[in-house]
Amino acid sequence: MAPSATFETPNINENFNSHKDGLALEATSDAVDEVNVLKAAMRVKNGTATQEEVDIYEKSQFDAEKDKTQFRQYEDACDRVKNFYREQHEKQTVAYNLKARNDFKSKTRANMTIWQAMEKLNTLIDESDPDTSLSQIEHLLQSAEAIRRDGKPQWFQLTGLIHDLGKLLFFYAAEGQWDVVGDTFPVGCRFDETIIYPGTFENNPDSKDPIYSTERGIYTPGCGMDNVMLSWGHDEYLYHICKEQSTLPDEALAMIRYHSFYPWHSAGGYRWIMDEEKDARMLEAVKAFNPYDLYSKSDGIPKVEDLKEYYMGLINTYFPPGEGESEKVIRW
Ligand SMILES: O[C@H]1[C@H](O)[C@@H](O)[C@H](O)[C@@H](O)[C@H]1O
Ligand SMILES: [Fe+2]
Ligand SMILES: [Fe+2]
């Protein structure tokens, strides 16, 4: 069975679980935010924090010093990014997604270890990303190191390390970068206004389809995120690989599967799809992960060789090598 997941260091988690009452927090300005963070920190430390306060405190640990207005500025982005999304939004259709899933299931693209996959990614520069022009191995190490510095559990650190490995698709089965990188969104129902550049779906044939263009499309409200076809790319690909070939907990799998689903985890869209038992927990996990993915892009560049030994330990824990193997060879 998959190990159960917690985001907190053990003492904070214990404190939180035994205290559910607390004050309502309202963030109206930076000053109020700051006071709220201080209050939250105090109450987390003395064990009286509400969930909301735990969230506020946790976020304040890593990204407090970051100027958030410097990230994801798509209106000011360069043509490379704008052209990328125009193409992606025209081509991610239900028909394409069915085909991509079918291709994925019908073959193995490569056999290699996690570390080999990371090294292979060192030549890929992501065209959709306005915030980094580093290679992907550097982005992965920046994310993992930020998570490690905050004392998060090992499965969480490893998730940071591997979360974008699905971009390997680019070297094997992709039609370009448009079906590998970038934000994701559901196909089969109306493209929501919470997607970046919502005006660029006009030439997507699904936006004229009598069913796919309706608000709910092919989905029943409350059907749950597990049943949604998210636009095909690195998240969905890696999610399936990790689900089958690792012992990572559900929260880690959700972080991988939904980390590019900004319309849901950051813009508040698509809530009507969520089911009653699982999705709220998964959303919480994805939100806990997101700052490490996004805001670590402005951190220093880690030295790959210095970190390899530490992370190999984590890889071998959650991708246990088979008999006679020193590292697990993954079927990609
Ligand atoms: O440009 C980025 C990048 O491709 C990331 O890997 C993805 O997760 C983000 O959602 C996207 O905005
Ligand atoms: Fe990603
Ligand atoms: Fe990432």
Side-chain angles (χ1 to χ4, degrees):
M1 217 184 80
S4 80
T6 55
F7 307 123
E8 288 79 32
T9 44
N11 59 338
I12 293 176
N13 203 31
E14 252 168 51
N15 290 339
F16 163 64
N17 283 336
S18 54
H19 298 273
K20 302 264 183 237
D21 67 318
L23 47 146
L25 294 172
E26 222 177 87
T28 48
S29 71
D30 284 356
V32 174
D33 273 355
E34 228 172 88
V35 171
N36 285 341
V37 167
L38 286 173
K39 272 191 203 163
M42 229 174 59
R43 290 168 62 93
V44 165
K45 282 181 183 140
N46 70 21
T48 56
T50 61
Q51 175 66 67
E52 199 176 357
E53 289 166 331
V54 171
D55 290 345
I56 289 172
Y57 171 72
E58 287 210 324
K59 283 199 90 183
S60 75
Q61 286 183 289
F62 163 68
D63 56 6
E65 250 108 80
K66 305 280 178 179
D67 176 0
K68 315 249 170 73
T69 62
Q70 298 300 306
F71 297 85
R72 291 180 64 82
Q73 292 305 309
Y74 287 99
E75 287 317 316
D76 302 334
C78 59
D79 287 349
R80 159 181 71 100
V81 173
K82 290 185 173 159
N83 292 337
F84 166 88
Y85 276 108
R86 190 167 312 111
E87 186 178 16
Q88 186 197 53
H89 290 176
E90 280 178 26
K91 295 184 174 171
Q92 287 279 359
T93 58
V94 170
Y96 176 74
N97 272 269
L98 292 171
K99 178 183 166 298
R101 282 164 174 78
N102 206 33
D103 287 352
F104 166 68
K105 286 198 189 117
S106 63
K107 54 178 176 271
T108 299
R109 280 140 295 272
N111 291 293
M112 64 187 143
T113 66
I114 295 284
W115 200 268
Q116 285 169 334
M118 285 173 59
E119 287 179 336
K120 189 158 174 78
L121 275 188
N122 84 16
T123 56
L124 181 69
I125 310 288
D126 184 330
E127 285 173 3
S128 71
D129 198 333
D131 299 318
T132 189
S133 46
L134 293 181
S135 84
Q136 291 297 305
I137 188 172
E138 286 160 340
H139 167 59
L140 290 175
L141 285 165
Q142 281 175 327
S143 309
E145 283 289 279
I147 296 166
R148 171 151 81 131
R149 275 197 299 274
D150 266 1
K152 302 294 176 200
Q154 295 196 335
W155 64 263
F156 196 153
Q157 299 171 28
L158 180 63
T159 304
L161 185 77
I162 64 172
H163 75 278
D164 275 337
L165 278 188
K167 291 180 186 175
L168 270 184
L169 257 187
F170 180 71
F171 299 105
Y172 300 109
E175 295 197 359
Q177 287 211 8
W178 68 268
D179 58 344
V180 178
V181 301
D183 285 4
T184 58
F185 46 85
V187 295
C189 61
R190 185 188 299 153
F191 301 115
D192 198 82
E193 287 295 311
T194 52
I195 304 171
I196 46 171
Y197 305 125
T200 55
F201 285 98
E202 257 176 35
N203 293 331
N204 183 312
D206 287 0
S207 69
K208 316 241 159 28
D209 183 277
I211 295 171
Y212 306 153
S213 66
T214 60
E215 192 189 353
R216 310 267 150 105
I218 57 176
Y219 305 109
T220 312
C223 64
M225 289 296 172
D226 278 344
N227 294 308
V228 165
M229 190 151 62
L230 283 173
S231 52
W232 178 255
H234 67 291
D235 299 30
E236 193 73 4
Y237 170 57
L238 186 69
Y239 162 74
H240 286 291
I241 287 175
C242 291
K243 194 171 172 219
E244 276 151 39
Q245 301 182 58
S246 80
T247 59
L248 284 165
D250 279 352
E251 280 76 359
L253 298 177
M255 290 170 179
I256 292 168
R257 182 166 191 235
Y258 304 119
H259 77 268
S260 306
F261 190 10
Y262 278 83
W264 180 52
H265 67 64
S266 293
Y270 297 102
R271 293 295 194 266
W272 57 269
I273 295 179
M274 292 170 71
D275 67 14
E276 280 182 7
E277 25 14 286
K278 191 176 170 200
D279 289 337
R281 247 181 328 119
M282 297 303 117
L283 179 57
E284 198 195 313
V286 182
K287 279 173 173 286
F289 174 77
N290 177 250
Y292 298 106
D293 182 13
L294 184 54
Y295 303 127
S296 67
K297 291 175 184 174
S298 62
D299 290 354
I301 303 174
K303 284 216 180 64
V304 180
E305 279 315 308
D306 294 354
L307 299 170
K308 183 169 179 182
E309 196 183 323
Y310 174 75
Y311 286 110
M312 276 314 305
L314 305 195
I315 293 169
N316 286 339
T317 304
Y318 291 96
F319 292 88
E323 276 213 3
E325 278 180 341
S326 58
E327 288 167 50
K328 185 176 174 96
V329 177
I330 308 291
R331 288 174 274 89
W332 293 95

